[in-house]
Amino acid sequence: MSVTYQAVGWNRQKKIYDGLLASGIVLYLAIFLGLGGAVHPNATIETLLIRAMGTAALLLLHVILAIGPLCRLDRRFLPLLYNRRHLGVTMFGLGLGHGVFSLVQFHALGNVGLLTSLFTSNTRYDSLAGFPFQALGFFALLILFLMAATSHDFWLKNLSPAVWKRLHMMVYVAYALLVGHVTLGALQSETSPFLAGSLAAGLLTLIALHVTAAHREGSRDVSAVDAGEFAVIPEGRARVISMDGERIAVFRHQDRAYAVSNVCAHQNGPLGEGKILDGCITCPWHGYQYRPETGAAPPPFTEKVATFATEIRHGRVYVTPCTGRPHG
Amino acid sequence: MIQPLRRAHYRVWLALAVLLPVLFVAAIAARRDPAPRNPQLHWEQYR
């Protein structure tokens, strides 16, 4: 087994994608500054930049949060998922620009430090209309910084996928903070229905996409495959079944059923012909091992095989086609 | 492996689906009329 990892390399497709992303952002900022200057001739360039970068970051965050469910609903969106981390880092850069310009614009002229001013100039936490919304933006930016700083595969490997994923799920906290930041901040003074309507539309679109994608997957889970009688599977051994063209090994271990892909991650050995040794499924070819609960090789090894949810009903084992945590 | 993660995402979005619209509506409802423009004040001259 190996403890090495293969980072996703920089390739032509990623370069084209990043080129389009950079061009799009430059175009957006230019249009915003041009139109903003025409509509609000008294606004300073700093104010326009703050608004341009803030709206660009928020727009990009909505795109980023929509990519996951879109890919589950339609596989044609998968190229976006492949490049999502670059979008995230770019969005953080725009948010950072918005934050730094705002700090300087609104807090640099006092006799206290920038951050001290940010947290002490307004302490009306009991008021919705006068809420210190900038603090919400600061904490959201802090989360986005942690995510951008750990976005490389190096951190995915060193923090472990579970910790990394938990950290990156903080994006939902950041999103909630930013909705608060905008509604309690910009939307208190900017009363244009277009701005409030845009944010509401973005929010409702994201909620609808995520809930729809989850429901569609949930309905797929219902069609469990009958893997036969549980009692006839010897303890520590497996029965191999075929499901959606994939071979699945259904193991019996301590009176529970566990289903994993029949294909060993090493050299495609038949895991279902192996047995459970020391609590691990052991490949009959070269002895590679995987925990039946998670499909993961015991530390420090990092190989994994897919697992499938199982259920025992009336003495028979049922395996659901989507991958998941085994039980039963 | 992936399914518990997707369940966690789904639960988070259910919570956000309740929390964020309430926050949004409450914040818009709490909005006060902006102070009327003072026609005597021409702040541009102080630039």
Side-chain angles (χ1 to χ4, degrees):
Chain A
M1 287 188 257
S2 157
V3 292
T4 60
Y5 74 101
Q6 182 84 36
V8 176
W10 200 273
N11 55 38
R12 183 173 171 273
Q13 195 238 20
K14 277 192 179 290
K15 285 176 186 170
I16 293 172
Y17 188 92
D18 286 350
L20 286 173
L21 176 61
S23 309
I25 286 168
V26 169
L27 193 65
Y28 178 89
L29 295 180
I31 291 173
F32 195 103
L33 293 179
L35 282 180
V39 176
H40 302 287
N42 293 327
T44 62
I45 184 72
E46 292 88 352
T47 301
L48 289 175
L49 267 174
I50 287 170
R51 293 177 182 179
M53 288 193 286
T55 53
L58 192 62
L59 191 63
L60 212 48
L61 180 59
H62 279 85
V63 172
I64 291 164
L65 290 176
I67 289 174
L70 280 175
C71 290
R72 283 186 273 155
L73 293 169
D74 190 331
R75 295 178 64 82
R76 281 176 294 182
F77 288 101
L78 277 172
L80 291 175
L81 187 65
Y82 181 60
N83 295 286
R84 186 167 57 174
R85 283 191 228 172
H86 286 200
L87 277 184
V89 175
T90 307
M91 182 264 297
F92 165 70
L94 286 164
L96 183 66
H98 169 82
V100 169
F101 271 104
S102 301
L103 266 180
V104 172
Q105 173 111 326
F106 300 116
H107 297 280
L109 298 177
N111 54 2
V112 293
L114 292 175
L115 289 181
T116 309
S117 172
L118 173 69
F119 287 108
T120 57
S121 58
N122 178 8
T123 53
R124 296 175 61 194
Y125 288 95
D126 58 343
S127 160
L128 266 182
F131 195 86
F133 66 95
Q134 291 176 334
L136 300 179
F138 175 82
F139 287 116
L141 197 58
L142 202 60
I143 292 172
L144 296 177
F145 165 72
L146 288 175
M147 292 178 59
T150 58
S151 65
H152 194 270
D153 280 345
F154 171 84
W155 289 104
L156 175 61
K157 163 71 183 169
N158 283 283
L159 291 174
S160 83
V163 173
W164 190 87
K165 198 64 202 174
R166 264 185 221 119
L167 174 67
H168 282 245
M169 275 185 73
M170 291 286 285
V171 71
Y172 297 135
V173 178
Y175 180 65
L177 288 169
L178 287 176
V179 170
H181 175 71
V182 175
T183 50
L184 299 173
L187 291 187
Q188 294 299 310
S189 52
E190 297 288 339
T191 53
S192 155
F194 173 74
L195 296 175
S198 301
L199 183 64
L203 174 59
L204 293 177
T205 303
L206 285 181
I207 291 170
L209 277 174
H210 280 269
V211 172
T212 306
H215 271 285
R216 188 170 289 187
E217 288 198 332
S219 63
R220 274 189 213 137
D221 293 354
V222 174
S223 53
V225 171
D226 185 355
E229 275 189 51
F230 180 61
V232 299
I233 304 175
E235 173 64 29
R237 297 281 186 169
R239 164 183 289 165
V240 178
I241 63 166
S242 182
M243 190 169 67
D244 290 343
E246 186 175 0
R247 289 173 73 75
I248 312 290
V250 183
F251 277 89
R252 176 177 178 161
H253 177 52
Q254 295 174 342
D255 276 335
R256 291 167 75 97
Y258 298 95
V260 300
S261 165
N262 191 47
V263 182
C264 179
H266 177 218
Q267 287 186 356
N268 300 339
L271 288 179
E273 294 173 26
K275 57 185 174 183
I276 293 183
L277 293 175
D278 301 325
C280 290
I281 296 167
T282 306
C283 181
W285 281 9
H286 302 98
Y288 271 55
Q289 290 190 305
Y290 307 93
R291 295 200 188 285
E293 300 88 355
T294 61
F301 304 109
T302 56
E303 284 79 4
K304 277 186 178 176
V305 290
T307 59
F308 299 84
T310 62
E311 189 182 0
I312 300 172
R313 288 199 304 259
H314 309 299
R316 301 186 77 82
V317 186
Y318 291 88
V319 182
T320 50
C322 61
T323 53
R325 190 190 298 273
H327 49 81
Chain B
M1 286 182 287
I2 196 78
Q3 208 58 23
L5 197 60
R6 295 239 165 113
R7 272 199 298 272
H9 281 271
Y10 178 54
R11 283 177 191 145
V12 169
W13 274 104
L14 283 185
L16 290 180
V18 175
L19 176 75
L20 293 185
V22 168
L23 171 68
F24 182 86
V25 171
I28 296 296
R31 203 153 62 171
R32 291 171 303 185
D33 290 334
R37 181 181 168 84
N38 181 352
Q40 306 303 317
L41 180 66
H42 301 285
W43 63 271
E44 293 87 352
Q45 65 185 295
Y46 301 109
R47 269 180 155 175

